[in-house]
Amino acid sequence: MSVLVVAEHDNTNLKPATLNAVTAAAKLGDVAVLVAGSNCHGVAEAAAKIGGVAKVLLADDPAYEHRLAENLAALVAKLAPGFTHVLATATSAGKNVMPRVAALLDVAQISDISAVEGADTFVRPIYAGNALATVQSSDPIKVITVRATGFDPAPAEGGSAAIETVDPAGDSGLSQFVGQALSKSERPELTSARVIISGGRGMQSGENFHLLEKVADKLGAAVGASRAAVDAGFVPNDYQVGQTGKIVAPELYIAVGISGAIQHLAGMKDSKVIVAINKDEDAPILQVADYSLVADLFQAVPELAAELEK
Ligand SMILES: Cc1cc2nc3c(=O)[nH]c(=O)nc-3n(C[C@H](O)[C@H](O)[C@H](O)COP(=O)(O)OP(=O)(O)OC[C@H]3O[C@@H](n4cnc5c(N)ncnc54)[C@H](O)[C@@H]3O)c2cc1C
């Protein structure tokens, strides 16, 4: 069996979540990685070095510069008949492209898998991660999005796959790139951060998030938030962790002033070590935390920052 992984990148850097999709793909067969972009040869070279990748397909064309889903889906659908499975990560980008691919191929999409049971059988979380569904597909080509936290990343180095140029599928003319407003941060991205410190409604204001930023700076951490903190306007919505936010699984997740609603837990409960700082000893987050500090965050967090200064 041969498996195509659609790489996620910005024409310069390969997004780390692609490595997790490669691990899922390697459970199914020989892995080819598609790098579609513009002036993205460097990304193809990075993809060729991933351990376990047999081949890299490079589609370098202005039509893919901004990875418009309509253009990319047409290319993936054109290449798909050479594969038994087509995978992408269940990120916003992957979730934009893969349903279109599935529709073009007239197959069902298998969404957000967290385990591979066999060539046609996959596990995926449902009900905000409270149940796991095992799904089986009889479609000739399986179009799949992968929950990155369900799979370890494949080694970024060690492979030496050949890079093969493929013909672009052209501009579909269905959409046009107008512009983008990207948030800039010196901190790591939430979905790939090794450490995350998140604040909830207990932070009381956006200004108070600077308490978390101080700790984040010391730990090289990303800053996240609960939906309540986002809805209250404390921080932008790309900070949100949870069922309707980002799914993360860092080595260390520090939840500050977050109660631990199931929708929040759905986004972070696979973190390796969970620390909770909450003044309520009955807060549900304490049930999932490995280490809990029952304290007022306005005292505990500055103390933590001061200790890290030492
Ligand atoms: C369909 C749906 C999707 C959702 N998706 C998400 C999602 O993706 N992510 C998400 O987070 N939520 C999501 N929610 C919302 C979720 O149900 C909760 O409302 C939300 O997570 C609560 O956020 P919170 O823990 O910050 O606030 P609260 O539940 O109000 O908890 C605040 C916590 O702060 C503590 N606290 C207060 N002051 C202090 C202090 N001084 N020191 C220490 N601790 C203090 C309190 O004890 C409390 O535990 C979703 C809800 C629905 C219905």
Side-chain angles (χ1 to χ4, degrees), residues 70-259:
E70 292 80 2
N71 292 353
L72 189 49
L75 174 68
V76 176
K78 193 176 104 174
L79 296 170
F83 298 90
T84 51
H85 301 74
V86 183
L87 274 63
T89 44
T91 52
S92 301
K95 288 191 275 190
N96 198 7
V97 173
M98 297 305 266
R100 297 169 201 271
V101 173
L104 290 169
L105 296 174
D106 198 18
V107 299
Q109 180 182 276
I110 305 157
S111 303
D112 207 17
I113 65 161
S114 57
V116 173
E117 298 271 290
D120 61 359
T121 310
F122 310 92
V123 177
R124 56 181 301 265
I126 56 171
Y127 299 115
N130 285 308
L132 295 173
T134 301
V135 294
Q136 195 167 30
S137 164
S138 56
D139 281 327
I141 302 174
K142 308 327 181 228
V143 173
I144 297 169
T145 60
V146 176
R147 179 174 283 220
T149 56
F151 300 89
D152 290 333
E157 301 283 337
S160 57
I163 300 176
E164 201 177 288
T165 305
V166 292
D167 288 337
D171 189 336
S172 66
L174 291 170
S175 61
Q176 206 182 338
F177 178 77
V178 176
Q180 60 187 2
L182 298 175
S183 54
K184 287 207 170 71
S185 168
E186 296 299 306
R187 299 209 174 79
E189 254 190 275
L190 260 181
T191 47
S192 56
R194 211 178 46 81
V195 180
I196 296 174
I197 180 161
S198 287
R201 200 193 316 259
M203 296 304 297
Q204 290 180 12
S205 73
E207 208 160 89
N208 288 334
F209 266 72
H210 78 264
L211 298 171
L212 305 187
E213 285 161 5
K214 274 194 182 159
V215 175
D217 288 343
K218 288 285 153 212
L219 297 176
V223 177
S226 70
R227 177 158 154 182
V230 169
D231 287 351
F234 298 169
V235 286
N237 64 4
D238 60 350
Y239 279 46
Q240 187 177 317
V241 171
Q243 184 189 344
T244 43
K246 300 209 165 108
I247 310 283
V248 300
E251 282 169 35
L252 173 62
Y253 187 90
I254 309 174
V256 182
I258 292 178
S259 60

